[in-house]
Amino acid sequence: MSSAVKIRRSRMEDLLPAFKMVERSFNHLRKKHSMKPIKFPLQELPPVQKHLFATDGERSWCAWKGNKIVGYTHALLRGKQWYLGYLFIDPTLQDKGVGRKLLEKVYVKRPGMTHALCTFSYNMQAVGIYSQFGMVPIQGLAWLGRHPSKIKMPKPTGLQASTKLSAADLKWIMSLEKKVRGYERAVEWKFWTSNEHFEPFLFRDKGKRVAYGLIYKKMGIGPIGAVNNDYMVKAAAELIRRTNPSKKEEISIWVPTENIPLYQFMIKSGFRLGEIAVFMSDKSYTDFQRYCPTHLAIF
Protein backbone atom coordinates (compact mmCIF):
# COMPACT_ATOMS: atom_id res chain seq x y z
CA MET A 1 0.00 0.00 0.00
CA SER A 2 1.21 3.47 -0.82
CA SER A 3 2.84 5.17 2.17
CA ALA A 4 0.87 8.33 1.35
CA VAL A 5 -2.41 6.56 2.19
CA LYS A 6 -3.57 6.67 5.81
CA ILE A 7 -6.26 4.44 7.33
CA ARG A 8 -8.50 5.69 10.10
CA ARG A 9 -11.87 4.93 11.62
CA SER A 10 -14.77 6.76 9.97
CA ARG A 11 -16.50 9.74 11.50
CA MET A 12 -20.08 10.62 10.71
CA GLU A 13 -18.93 13.64 8.68
CA ASP A 14 -16.76 11.34 6.53
CA LEU A 15 -19.66 9.25 5.28
CA LEU A 16 -21.17 11.54 2.64
CA PRO A 17 -17.82 12.18 0.87
CA ALA A 18 -17.06 8.47 1.28
CA PHE A 19 -20.23 7.57 -0.60
CA LYS A 20 -19.40 10.02 -3.36
CA MET A 21 -16.16 8.08 -3.74
CA VAL A 22 -18.20 4.83 -3.72
CA GLU A 23 -20.24 6.23 -6.62
CA ARG A 24 -17.05 6.99 -8.61
CA SER A 25 -15.62 3.55 -7.92
CA PHE A 26 -18.86 1.73 -8.73
CA ASN A 27 -19.40 3.54 -12.02
CA HIS A 28 -15.74 3.11 -13.01
CA LEU A 29 -16.30 -0.63 -12.69
CA ARG A 30 -19.52 -0.45 -14.70
CA LYS A 31 -17.82 1.56 -17.46
CA LYS A 32 -15.08 -1.07 -17.72
CA HIS A 33 -17.80 -3.60 -18.49
CA SER A 34 -19.70 -1.37 -20.94
CA MET A 35 -22.54 -0.72 -18.50
CA LYS A 36 -24.40 2.53 -17.95
CA PRO A 37 -23.44 4.59 -14.88
CA ILE A 38 -25.88 4.91 -12.00
CA LYS A 39 -26.43 8.24 -10.29
CA PHE A 40 -26.55 7.99 -6.51
CA PRO A 41 -29.01 10.29 -4.66
CA LEU A 42 -26.37 11.83 -2.39
CA GLN A 43 -27.64 15.24 -1.31
CA GLU A 44 -27.77 13.72 2.16
CA LEU A 45 -26.73 10.46 3.76
CA PRO A 46 -29.36 7.72 3.23
CA PRO A 47 -31.07 6.36 6.37
CA VAL A 48 -29.56 2.87 5.96
CA GLN A 49 -26.03 4.28 6.16
CA LYS A 50 -26.91 6.34 9.24
CA HIS A 51 -28.27 3.20 10.88
CA LEU A 52 -25.21 1.11 10.05
CA PHE A 53 -22.89 3.75 11.44
CA ALA A 54 -24.96 4.04 14.61
CA THR A 55 -24.90 0.28 15.23
CA ASP A 56 -21.51 -0.76 13.83
CA GLY A 57 -19.43 2.42 13.77
CA GLU A 58 -16.33 0.65 15.06
CA ARG A 59 -16.31 -1.42 11.85
CA SER A 60 -16.41 1.62 9.55
CA TRP A 61 -13.04 2.80 8.17
CA CYS A 62 -11.81 5.22 5.51
CA ALA A 63 -8.55 5.43 3.58
CA TRP A 64 -7.21 8.95 3.05
CA LYS A 65 -4.69 10.43 0.65
CA GLY A 66 -4.08 13.94 1.88
CA ASN A 67 -7.53 15.42 2.51
CA LYS A 68 -9.28 13.10 0.05
CA ILE A 69 -11.10 9.86 0.90
CA VAL A 70 -9.81 7.13 -1.42
CA GLY A 71 -11.25 4.04 0.24
CA TYR A 72 -14.21 3.04 2.40
CA THR A 73 -15.33 -0.13 4.16
CA HIS A 74 -18.04 -1.09 6.61
CA ALA A 75 -18.84 -4.47 8.19
CA LEU A 76 -21.65 -5.69 10.46
CA LEU A 77 -21.81 -8.21 13.29
CA ARG A 78 -25.13 -9.91 13.97
CA GLY A 79 -24.56 -12.67 16.49
CA LYS A 80 -21.99 -14.92 14.88
CA GLN A 81 -22.62 -13.54 11.40
CA TRP A 82 -19.93 -11.18 10.09
CA TYR A 83 -21.07 -9.43 6.95
CA LEU A 84 -19.15 -7.01 4.74
CA GLY A 85 -21.52 -4.26 3.66
CA TYR A 86 -19.08 -2.06 1.73
CA LEU A 87 -15.55 -2.13 0.37
CA PHE A 88 -14.78 0.40 -2.37
CA ILE A 89 -11.51 1.98 -3.51
CA ASP A 90 -11.02 5.11 -5.62
CA PRO A 91 -10.25 4.07 -9.23
CA THR A 92 -6.84 5.82 -9.10
CA LEU A 93 -5.68 3.57 -6.24
CA GLN A 94 -7.08 0.18 -7.13
CA ASP A 95 -4.61 -2.76 -7.16
CA LYS A 96 -2.40 -0.90 -4.65
CA GLY A 97 -3.24 -2.95 -1.55
CA VAL A 98 -5.61 -0.35 -0.07
CA GLY A 99 -8.63 -2.65 -0.24
CA ARG A 100 -6.87 -5.52 1.52
CA LYS A 101 -5.68 -3.17 4.26
CA LEU A 102 -9.21 -1.90 4.85
CA LEU A 103 -10.62 -5.43 4.85
CA GLU A 104 -8.09 -6.49 7.47
CA LYS A 105 -9.29 -3.62 9.67
CA VAL A 106 -12.89 -4.84 9.80
CA TYR A 107 -12.46 -8.62 9.46
CA VAL A 108 -13.44 -10.43 12.67
CA LYS A 109 -12.46 -14.07 13.18
CA ARG A 110 -13.89 -15.95 16.16
CA PRO A 111 -14.87 -19.59 16.80
CA GLY A 112 -18.13 -20.50 15.08
CA MET A 113 -18.34 -17.24 13.13
CA THR A 114 -19.46 -17.10 9.52
CA HIS A 115 -18.23 -14.52 7.01
CA ALA A 116 -20.25 -13.30 4.04
CA LEU A 117 -20.83 -10.49 1.56
CA CYS A 118 -22.42 -9.67 -1.78
CA THR A 119 -20.46 -8.41 -4.78
CA PHE A 120 -21.27 -7.92 -8.44
CA SER A 121 -20.80 -10.92 -10.68
CA TYR A 122 -18.66 -9.01 -13.19
CA ASN A 123 -16.17 -7.94 -10.48
CA MET A 124 -13.93 -10.96 -10.78
CA GLN A 125 -11.06 -9.23 -9.00
CA ALA A 126 -13.20 -8.79 -5.88
CA VAL A 127 -14.42 -12.38 -6.07
CA GLY A 128 -10.80 -13.52 -6.16
CA ILE A 129 -9.77 -11.38 -3.17
CA TYR A 130 -12.70 -12.49 -1.03
CA SER A 131 -11.99 -16.11 -1.93
CA GLN A 132 -8.58 -15.70 -0.31
CA PHE A 133 -10.44 -14.93 2.94
CA GLY A 134 -12.29 -18.25 2.67
CA MET A 135 -15.53 -17.03 1.11
CA VAL A 136 -16.85 -18.71 -2.03
CA PRO A 137 -19.69 -17.85 -4.46
CA ILE A 138 -22.82 -19.57 -3.13
CA GLN A 139 -25.84 -17.88 -4.71
CA GLY A 140 -26.63 -15.55 -7.57
CA LEU A 141 -28.90 -12.60 -6.82
CA ALA A 142 -30.83 -11.02 -9.68
CA TRP A 143 -31.76 -7.36 -9.42
CA LEU A 144 -35.16 -7.00 -11.05
CA GLY A 145 -36.71 -3.60 -11.55
CA ARG A 146 -39.42 -1.86 -13.55
CA HIS A 147 -41.33 1.40 -13.62
CA PRO A 148 -44.85 0.92 -12.19
CA SER A 149 -46.44 1.97 -15.48
CA LYS A 150 -44.95 -1.13 -17.13
CA ILE A 151 -45.78 -3.63 -14.39
CA LYS A 152 -48.76 -5.92 -14.58
CA MET A 153 -50.10 -5.47 -11.08
CA PRO A 154 -50.73 -8.84 -9.41
CA LYS A 155 -54.22 -9.82 -8.35
CA PRO A 156 -55.01 -10.12 -4.62
CA THR A 157 -53.68 -13.38 -3.21
CA GLY A 158 -56.03 -13.71 -0.28
CA LEU A 159 -53.33 -13.04 2.30
CA GLN A 160 -54.19 -10.63 5.08
CA ALA A 161 -51.58 -7.88 5.51
CA SER A 162 -50.77 -5.98 8.68
CA THR A 163 -48.39 -3.05 9.13
CA LYS A 164 -48.92 -2.71 12.88
CA LEU A 165 -46.58 -5.34 14.27
CA SER A 166 -47.05 -6.50 17.84
CA ALA A 167 -44.29 -7.81 20.08
CA ALA A 168 -45.54 -11.33 19.30
CA ASP A 169 -45.38 -10.60 15.55
CA LEU A 170 -41.78 -9.41 15.82
CA LYS A 171 -40.85 -12.44 17.89
CA TRP A 172 -42.30 -14.64 15.13
CA ILE A 173 -40.32 -12.74 12.48
CA MET A 174 -37.11 -13.18 14.49
CA SER A 175 -37.74 -16.90 14.76
CA LEU A 176 -38.44 -17.27 11.04
CA GLU A 177 -35.44 -15.15 10.04
CA LYS A 178 -33.18 -17.42 12.05
CA LYS A 179 -34.51 -20.36 10.03
CA VAL A 180 -34.57 -18.86 6.53
CA ARG A 181 -31.90 -16.15 6.65
CA GLY A 182 -29.64 -18.01 9.05
CA TYR A 183 -29.40 -15.28 11.68
CA GLU A 184 -31.92 -13.00 13.32
CA ARG A 185 -31.33 -9.25 13.55
CA ALA A 186 -33.50 -7.49 16.07
CA VAL A 187 -31.44 -4.31 15.64
CA GLU A 188 -32.56 -3.95 12.00
CA TRP A 189 -36.21 -4.62 12.76
CA LYS A 190 -36.18 -2.02 15.51
CA PHE A 191 -34.82 0.45 12.94
CA TRP A 192 -37.24 -0.55 10.17
CA THR A 193 -40.33 -0.36 12.37
CA SER A 194 -39.43 3.09 13.68
CA ASN A 195 -38.24 4.84 10.50
CA GLU A 196 -40.65 6.58 8.12
CA HIS A 197 -38.71 5.43 5.05
CA PHE A 198 -39.72 1.80 5.64
CA GLU A 199 -43.04 -0.01 5.78
CA PRO A 200 -42.98 -3.50 7.36
CA PHE A 201 -45.66 -6.10 6.66
CA LEU A 202 -46.78 -9.31 8.28
CA PHE A 203 -48.90 -11.66 6.17
CA ARG A 204 -51.44 -14.15 7.46
CA ASP A 205 -53.41 -16.87 5.76
CA LYS A 206 -56.69 -17.63 7.56
CA GLY A 207 -55.27 -15.96 10.65
CA LYS A 208 -51.98 -17.89 10.66
CA ARG A 209 -48.68 -16.03 10.19
CA VAL A 210 -47.05 -17.18 6.95
CA ALA A 211 -44.67 -14.44 5.70
CA TYR A 212 -43.15 -11.04 6.32
CA GLY A 213 -41.83 -8.34 4.03
CA LEU A 214 -40.60 -4.79 3.84
CA ILE A 215 -41.04 -1.87 1.45
CA TYR A 216 -38.12 0.56 1.41
CA LYS A 217 -39.79 3.64 -0.03
CA LYS A 218 -36.67 4.82 -1.87
CA MET A 219 -35.12 1.48 -2.88
CA GLY A 220 -37.75 -1.21 -3.40
CA ILE A 221 -38.93 -4.47 -1.85
CA GLY A 222 -37.11 -6.72 0.61
CA PRO A 223 -36.40 -8.56 2.74
CA ILE A 224 -39.08 -11.19 2.28
CA GLY A 225 -39.28 -14.34 4.36
CA ALA A 226 -41.92 -17.06 4.32
CA VAL A 227 -42.73 -20.48 5.70
CA ASN A 228 -42.62 -21.95 2.18
CA ASN A 229 -41.95 -20.91 -1.41
CA ASP A 230 -45.61 -20.55 -2.34
CA TYR A 231 -46.04 -17.89 0.33
CA MET A 232 -42.83 -16.21 -0.86
CA VAL A 233 -44.44 -15.57 -4.23
CA LYS A 234 -47.73 -14.46 -2.67
CA ALA A 235 -45.95 -12.09 -0.26
CA ALA A 236 -43.99 -10.57 -3.15
CA ALA A 237 -47.26 -10.05 -5.05
CA GLU A 238 -48.85 -8.30 -2.09
CA LEU A 239 -45.82 -6.06 -1.59
CA ILE A 240 -45.82 -5.05 -5.26
CA ARG A 241 -49.50 -4.12 -4.95
CA ARG A 242 -48.71 -1.87 -1.99
CA THR A 243 -45.74 0.06 -3.34
CA ASN A 244 -46.24 3.72 -4.16
CA PRO A 245 -43.09 4.99 -5.89
CA SER A 246 -42.68 8.44 -7.37
CA LYS A 247 -42.95 8.98 -11.13
CA LYS A 248 -39.16 8.67 -11.49
CA GLU A 249 -38.69 5.57 -9.36
CA GLU A 250 -38.72 1.90 -10.23
CA ILE A 251 -39.99 -0.92 -8.06
CA SER A 252 -37.06 -3.25 -7.48
CA ILE A 253 -36.17 -6.49 -5.73
CA TRP A 254 -33.18 -8.84 -5.35
CA VAL A 255 -34.30 -12.38 -6.24
CA PRO A 256 -32.12 -15.46 -5.57
CA THR A 257 -31.49 -17.12 -8.92
CA GLU A 258 -32.27 -20.57 -7.56
CA ASN A 259 -35.78 -19.43 -6.61
CA ILE A 260 -37.23 -20.23 -10.01
CA PRO A 261 -40.95 -19.74 -9.14
CA LEU A 262 -40.33 -16.27 -7.71
CA TYR A 263 -38.06 -15.23 -10.59
CA GLN A 264 -40.61 -16.42 -13.15
CA PHE A 265 -43.41 -14.61 -11.34
CA MET A 266 -41.47 -11.32 -11.35
CA ILE A 267 -40.65 -11.59 -15.06
CA LYS A 268 -44.28 -12.39 -15.93
CA SER A 269 -45.30 -9.33 -13.90
CA GLY A 270 -43.17 -7.13 -16.17
CA PHE A 271 -39.93 -6.84 -14.20
CA ARG A 272 -36.64 -6.88 -16.10
CA LEU A 273 -33.14 -7.98 -15.15
CA GLY A 274 -30.67 -5.18 -14.42
CA GLU A 275 -27.81 -6.72 -12.43
CA ILE A 276 -26.49 -10.02 -11.15
CA ALA A 277 -24.77 -10.03 -7.77
CA VAL A 278 -23.11 -12.95 -6.01
CA PHE A 279 -23.58 -13.92 -2.37
CA MET A 280 -20.28 -15.23 -1.04
CA SER A 281 -19.76 -16.98 2.29
CA ASP A 282 -17.55 -19.50 4.08
CA LYS A 283 -20.68 -21.39 5.16
CA SER A 284 -24.05 -22.06 3.54
CA TYR A 285 -26.70 -20.84 5.99
CA THR A 286 -29.55 -19.22 4.04
CA ASP A 287 -32.65 -20.92 2.61
CA PHE A 288 -33.00 -19.01 -0.65
CA GLN A 289 -36.31 -20.72 -1.43
CA ARG A 290 -37.79 -18.89 1.54
CA TYR A 291 -35.75 -15.68 1.76
CA CYS A 292 -35.01 -12.62 -0.40
CA PRO A 293 -32.46 -10.09 0.84
CA THR A 294 -32.95 -6.42 1.43
CA HIS A 295 -30.34 -3.73 0.65
CA LEU A 296 -27.17 -5.72 -0.13
CA ALA A 297 -25.22 -3.73 2.45
CA ILE A 298 -27.31 -5.54 5.09
CA PHE A 299 -28.48 -8.70 3.35
Side-chain angles (χ1 to χ4, degrees):
M1 187 182 73
S2 172
S3 60
V5 176
K6 305 296 182 184
I7 307 292
R8 73 182 190 210
R9 188 169 290 170
S10 304
R11 303 163 300 179
M12 176 61 80
E13 58 264 34
D14 298 333
L15 297 184
L16 191 57
F19 274 92
K20 291 180 179 179
M21 184 280 303
V22 168
E23 181 181 34
R24 291 195 305 273
S25 176
F26 178 62
N27 284 323
H28 174 76
L29 178 65
R30 292 178 64 84
K31 185 177 179 180
K32 283 175 60 177
H33 293 85
S34 302
M35 303 174 74
K36 293 182 180 179
I38 294 177
K39 181 68 175 176
F40 289 19
L42 287 176
Q43 287 74 32
E44 61 178 346
L45 197 65
V48 167
Q49 278 67 51
K50 293 179 182 178
H51 164 69
L52 294 180
F53 186 79
T55 56
D56 294 86
E58 68 271 30
R59 285 173 289 278
S60 179
W61 292 74
C62 290
W64 293 79
K65 189 171 184 180
N67 61 358
K68 180 182 178 182
I69 294 176
V70 294
Y72 171 71
T73 190
H74 190 110
L76 297 76
L77 279 181
R78 299 293 179 261
K80 290 190 175 182
Q81 181 203 35
W82 177 93
Y83 184 84
L84 184 66
Y86 293 95
L87 180 58
F88 286 90
I89 309 301
D90 188 276
T92 62
L93 279 176
Q94 292 176 2
D95 301 321
K96 305 293 185 183
V98 179
R100 179 177 290 273
K101 190 71 173 178
L102 284 169
L103 184 54
E104 289 171 350
K105 282 288 186 183
V106 297
Y107 191 79
V108 178
K109 189 173 183 179
R110 297 172 187 165
M113 181 167 285
T114 61
H115 302 83
L117 57 87
C118 290
T119 189
F120 293 99
S121 59
Y122 46 82
N123 193 356
M124 288 296 100
Q125 182 182 8
V127 172
I129 292 173
Y130 299 139
S131 296
Q132 294 173 21
F133 282 77
M135 292 172 276
V136 301
I138 288 180
Q139 176 66 208
L141 297 168
W143 182 90
L144 301 174
R146 197 69 161 169
H147 190 273
S149 63
K150 297 185 178 180
I151 291 174
K152 181 182 179 181
M153 282 294 164
K155 296 179 181 179
T157 66
L159 295 185
Q160 301 89 48
S162 174
T163 59
K164 302 295 184 181
L165 306 187
S166 67
D169 293 334
L170 288 170
K171 184 177 179 180
W172 182 86
I173 290 173
M174 296 302 101
S175 177
L176 183 59
E177 281 221 318
K178 191 171 183 179
K179 295 174 183 176
V180 301
R181 182 180 177 270
Y183 297 89
E184 64 181 59
R185 45 174 170 187
V187 65
E188 264 70 66
W189 281 98
K190 182 179 179 181
F191 166 63
W192 288 330
T193 55
S194 62
N195 190 290
E196 64 180 4
H197 292 90
F198 304 89
E199 190 172 13
F201 287 86
L202 181 75
F203 297 104
R204 289 179 170 87
D205 187 8
K206 298 177 182 177
K208 184 178 179 180
R209 300 180 185 96
V210 295
Y212 66 85
L214 188 79
I215 294 175
Y216 183 3
K217 297 177 184 178
K218 293 288 185 180
M219 298 292 290
I221 296 169
I224 306 173
V227 297
N228 62 41
N229 188 265
D230 181 54
Y231 286 124
M232 279 288 293
V233 176
K234 289 182 177 180
E238 292 295 340
L239 290 167
I240 292 169
R241 285 168 22 83
R242 287 166 170 80
T243 55
N244 186 28
S246 72
K247 294 180 179 180
K248 296 181 179 180
E249 292 173 338
E250 290 187 324
I251 302 173
S252 63
I253 183 173
W254 287 99
V255 175
T257 54
E258 75 173 39
N259 195 332
I260 296 173
L262 181 57
Y263 187 94
Q264 291 176 335
F265 168 76
M266 300 302 295
I267 295 298
K268 288 178 181 177
S269 298
F271 285 75
R272 293 296 179 262
L273 177 65
E275 297 272 0
I276 294 286
V278 178
F279 174 73
M280 300 182 67
S281 181
D282 53 13
K283 179 184 177 182
S284 180
Y285 57 80
T286 302
D287 182 349
F288 287 105
Q289 293 298 321
R290 299 192 292 159
Y291 181 75
C292 280
T294 179
H295 193 299
L296 293 189
I298 301 177
F299 184 71

